[in-house]
Amino acid sequence: MTDTGTIGTRDDQAVRDVLHALVAAWAANDADAFAAHYTDDATVVLPGGVFHQGREGVRSYMAAAFAGPLKGSTSVDEPESVRVVGGDAAVVVSRSGFLLPGEEELPADRRRRATWVLSRLDGVWRVEAYHNCPA
């Protein structure tokens, strides 16, 4: 007999761990570590019609951002809902945004609501799709 409560809790934590790792990679301004948590064919949709496809698309976008306007910035991501669906997929809704160097409070114009879709393949959770919009 399987203890689904324990498995559910473990999966929930494993999904949250991916988000924590993304926040840590952002804090290090490490585009390679950030993109490593995305699938090869992941999609990212951001306000303003921004669309990126694939791990390499995410990596190059973040590398340019960390070298330019987001240099020294940190990410804020607070999951509000984590749902594991069908055992190998998860949907997360979070409050997110980013702080520029020296900021301690997230400005209203950078507050976002984000939706993440993650999948587990060979025991590893990765981001399949990400979308955010103004909160």
Side-chain angles (χ1 to χ4, degrees), residues 68-86:
L70 296 181
K71 186 174 186 170
S73 66
T74 57
S75 174
V76 175
D77 197 86
E78 299 166 356
E80 296 178 293
S81 169
V82 176
R83 293 182 296 131
V84 175
V85 182

Side-chain angles (χ1 to χ4, degrees), residues 26-45:
W26 187 308
N29 282 195
D30 185 339
D32 293 331
F34 188 88
H37 296 285
Y38 284 75
T39 62
D40 289 338
D41 60 348
T43 57
V44 173
V45 178

